[in-house]
Amino acid sequence: MESRLGIHRHDTLEIPVGHPVPTVHLVVHPDAVRGWNLEIQIKLLVI
């Protein structure tokens, strides 16, 4: 979904009771042009 500000969004995902909770690692990289890039690494995600 794209807003008028150019923000990219996704729907939320609810993890049901009893399912394993994923591990989330956030890595921030400097952008080659300007600003920052956010890398999201997820392990053990079961949909």
Side-chain angles (χ1 to χ4, degrees):
M1 174 187 301
E2 189 92 14
S3 76
R4 65 182 177 83
L5 298 176
I7 299 171
H8 186 89
R9 297 178 184 231
H10 292 273
D11 292 334
T12 57
L13 175 67
E14 184 174 330
I15 300 171
V17 175
H19 281 163
V21 177
T23 301
V24 178
H25 294 277
L26 301 177
V27 182
V28 179
H29 303 279
D31 188 77
V33 178
R34 98 174 220 224
W36 301 91
N37 293 313
L38 177 63
E39 177 183 350
I40 303 171
Q41 300 172 351
I42 303 172
K43 294 182 182 179
L44 207 108
L45 179 63
V46 179
I47 299 178

